[in-house]
Amino acid sequence: MEKFFKAQQRGSSVGQELRAGLTTFLAMAYIIAVNPSLLTQAGIPATAAVTATCVGAGIMTICMGLFSNRPLACASGMGVNAVFAFSLTAIAGGDWHAASAVIFVEGVAILILVLCGLREAIMDAIPVSLRHAISVGLGLFIAMIGLKDGGIIVADESTMVALGDVFSPTFLVGLISIIATIVLYAMNVKGSLLLGIIVAVVAGIPLGVTQLPAGIVSGLDFSSFGAPFLADESGVMGIAKVVTNPTLLVFAFSLMMSDFFDTMGTAMAVAKQGEFLEPDGRVQNIREILIVDSAAAAVGGLTGASSITTFVESASGAADGGRTGLTSVTAGVLFIVAAFFSPLISIVNSATTCGALVFVGFLMMSEVAEIDWSDLLEGLPAFLIVAGVPMTYSISNGIGFGFIAYVIVAAVTGQIKKVKPLMWVAALAFLVYFLVV
C-alpha cells in the first residue's frame, strides 16, 4: 500500500488517510439524501436514485484515488442535478432518459477534449494571478456554502443575503459545528474537522436537526443504469432524442462549459490544502484528475445519477491531512457501503458540515497575498473572479468574468501580447456561454 499510495513520502500515514477519507465522506454525505430527492422530481424511482447516487459516487471516487493518487472525491454535482430535474427533463419532454443522455453526451465530449490535451492546455494558459484568484474565490464559495447550510446566512428579498435566525435549531447546530472545529484545530487535535462534524451531529439530536433514521438497511435498484439507451413509452431511446434535438445539444454545450471550469477551480482548491499545488498555480497530476472527472460526468449520465463531478468538499479531507488517493478510495468505499445503509448515513445533514467548510474557506484565503493588486491587469480580473464565484454562486461564472476582463484590460492597456492564444479561446467560449445561457 505504501509503495502504491506513497503516504509516508508525502508526510502522511495510512491512519491519517483513512481519517481524511471519512472526513471527506461525511462532508459530502448530504448528497445521498439531497440528490435522490431531486432526481425523483424528474421521474426516476427513489430507490434507483439512491443506488445511482451512491454507486456512481463510490466507483468514480475510487477511480480518482487509484488513477490520480490525489485526495479528491466525486459525486453528483449540486446545481446540475436541479437543472437536470426541473429544466433539462422538461425540455426533453418529461423524459429523464433523454436528460441523462444529455449528461452522457456532455461527459463524452469533455473527455475527448481532455484526451486531446485541450482542457489541460487551457489550464496552463491561465495567468498565475488568476490561478491564485480562483483558489481565493473557491475559499469564499466553500465558506458561503457552509454558512448557508448551517443557517448562518439566509436569502433575503431586501438585501439578497442576511443573518439567519439565531434561535433556529439549524443556526445553533451550524454555530456549534464552527466553534467545535475552531477549538479542536486550535488545540492541535488530529482530525479536528471530522470531530467537528461528529460533535454537530450529536448536538443536533436534542435540537431536532439530526433526524434519527427510520431504518438501517436499504436495498439496491439498478433500473436507472444505462439510462441514455433506455427507451420511453414511444420506444425512442434517450440518446436518439439528443442527437436529433438542437436545443438539447445546446444544453449539453452549456453543461460542458460549467463542468470544464468548475473542476479546474475545485482541483486548485483541493491541491492547495493537499499540498500538491505548484508555486506557479499548476496542479500536480492534473491530467489524471481531469480524465477521471470527465469520465465521471459520462458515468453520471449512464447511471441516471445526473452529472458526477469532483466535489469542492474534498478540500475538507485534504485540510484534515489527506495527501494521497487512499483518502479518495476510503471515501469511495464508504459511498458504496452507504448504498446499503442510506437511511443511517442520512443523519449527517448539511448543517453539521458547516464548520468544516467554513474553516477550509479560511485556510484558502492565504492565496490572496500572492496577487499583485497594484497591477490593473493582474488585480482587476482576479478581483472579478474572487467576487464573482461566491456572488453568482457559480465557479464557472466567476472564472468567466475574470477571463473576459483579463483579455479586455490587456487590450486597452497595450499588453495584448501577454494573452496566450488559448486564453482568447476560453474568453470567447465564455462569452458564447453567457449569451446562450
Side-chain angles (χ1 to χ4, degrees):
M1 188 177 291
E2 172 58 31
K3 184 176 180 181
F4 184 87
F5 290 110
K6 302 179 178 62
Q8 292 182 11
Q9 181 178 320
R10 296 180 182 176
S12 183
S13 66
V14 171
Q16 183 170 308
E17 295 296 309
L18 295 177
R19 186 192 69 223
L22 179 58
T23 299
T24 296
F25 171 73
L26 291 178
M28 297 170 60
Y30 68 88
I31 200 67
I32 298 172
V34 175
N35 196 55
S37 69
L38 290 170
L39 296 182
T40 53
Q41 299 296 315
I44 299 177
T47 52
V50 171
T51 299
T53 299
C54 293
V55 174
I59 291 175
M60 296 317 300
T61 299
I62 291 172
C63 288
M64 181 67 81
L66 295 177
F67 195 56
S68 73
N69 196 22
R70 295 298 177 182
L72 297 109
C74 305
S76 300
M78 290 299 296
V80 176
N81 51 11
V83 171
F84 177 95
F86 302 113
S87 299
L88 188 51
T89 301
I91 294 173
D95 182 12
W96 60 269
H97 305 97
S100 295
V102 171
I103 302 293
F104 177 72
V105 168
E106 175 262 325
V108 171
I110 203 169
L111 177 59
I112 292 172
L113 293 178
V114 172
L115 295 176
C116 292
L118 180 61
R119 200 176 183 188
E120 186 177 355
I122 288 179
M123 287 192 70
D124 290 339
I126 301 174
V128 175
S129 61
L130 299 195
R131 297 180 192 180
H132 291 308
I134 291 171
S135 292
V136 176
L138 259 292
L140 290 174
F141 186 51
I142 292 171
M144 186 176 181
I145 291 173
L147 292 171
K148 177 185 74 68
D149 290 344
I152 310 297
I153 58 174
V154 296
D156 184 271
E157 292 185 1
S158 301
T159 60
M160 292 188 288
V161 65
L163 181 68
D165 179 5
V166 297
F167 297 107
S168 164
T170 301
F171 185 105
L172 294 175
V173 170
L175 186 62
I176 290 170
S177 175
I178 294 173
I179 294 174
T181 302
I182 293 174
V183 170
L184 291 167
Y185 189 90
M187 294 173 63
N188 294 318
V189 176
K190 290 186 177 181
S192 54
L193 275 70
L194 170 60
L195 292 173
I197 294 173
I198 294 174
V199 168
V201 169
V202 174
I205 295 175
L207 290 170
V209 175
T210 299
Q211 301 295 323
L212 296 179
I216 297 177
V217 179
S218 59
L220 301 186
D221 179 355
F222 296 98
S223 61
S224 67
F225 281 52
F229 304 99
L230 298 178
D232 62 7
E233 295 178 354
S234 64
V236 180
M237 289 193 302
I239 193 71
K241 292 184 179 181
V242 174
V243 297
T244 58
N245 189 327
T247 302
L248 292 178
L249 290 175
V250 170
F251 224 110
F253 168 76
S254 64
L255 290 175
M256 185 181 73
M257 283 294 293
S258 178
D259 267 352
F260 196 101
F261 291 98
D262 276 11
T263 302
M264 181 186 300
T266 299
M268 290 181 180
V270 179
K272 173 64 177 177
Q273 298 307 311
E275 298 179 356
F276 56 101
L277 186 69
E278 301 285 359
D280 63 356
R282 296 174 187 270
V283 178
Q284 296 174 18
N285 299 108
I286 188 59
R287 179 173 176 79
E288 292 87 348
I289 292 170
L290 294 178
I291 287 175
V292 176
D293 177 81
S294 302
V299 169
L302 193 61
T303 60
S306 182
S307 181
I308 297 175
T309 186
T310 306
F311 254 47
V312 73
E313 283 88 346
S314 303
S316 61
D320 208 23
R323 295 293 179 268
T324 76
L326 183 55
T327 292
S328 303
V329 172
T330 302
V333 170
L334 289 172
F335 265 114
I336 293 178
V337 172
F340 297 91
F341 299 95
S342 58
L344 182 62
I345 301 299
S346 63
I347 69 172
V348 182
N349 57 75
S350 57
T352 61
T353 65
C354 171
L357 298 185
V358 170
F359 198 78
V360 169
F362 156 70
L363 294 175
M364 293 173 63
M365 287 304 295
S366 61
E367 291 288 292
V368 75
E370 304 296 328
I371 302 171
D372 184 2
W373 298 104
S374 64
D375 186 332
L376 185 66
L377 181 59
E378 302 296 323
L380 180 61
F383 167 73
L384 290 176
I385 290 176
V386 171
V389 170
M391 289 185 181
T392 65
Y393 213 75
S394 167
I395 300 171
S396 54
N397 286 347
I399 293 175
F401 291 166
F403 279 22
I404 293 173
Y406 187 86
V407 171
I408 293 174
V409 173
V412 299
T413 57
Q415 303 179 73
I416 203 69
K417 291 183 179 180
K418 290 186 176 181
V419 183
K420 295 182 180 180
L422 284 179
M423 269 296 288
W424 282 101
V425 173
L428 181 60
F430 267 117
L431 184 61
V432 173
Y433 167 71
F434 288 137
L435 293 174
V436 170
V437 175

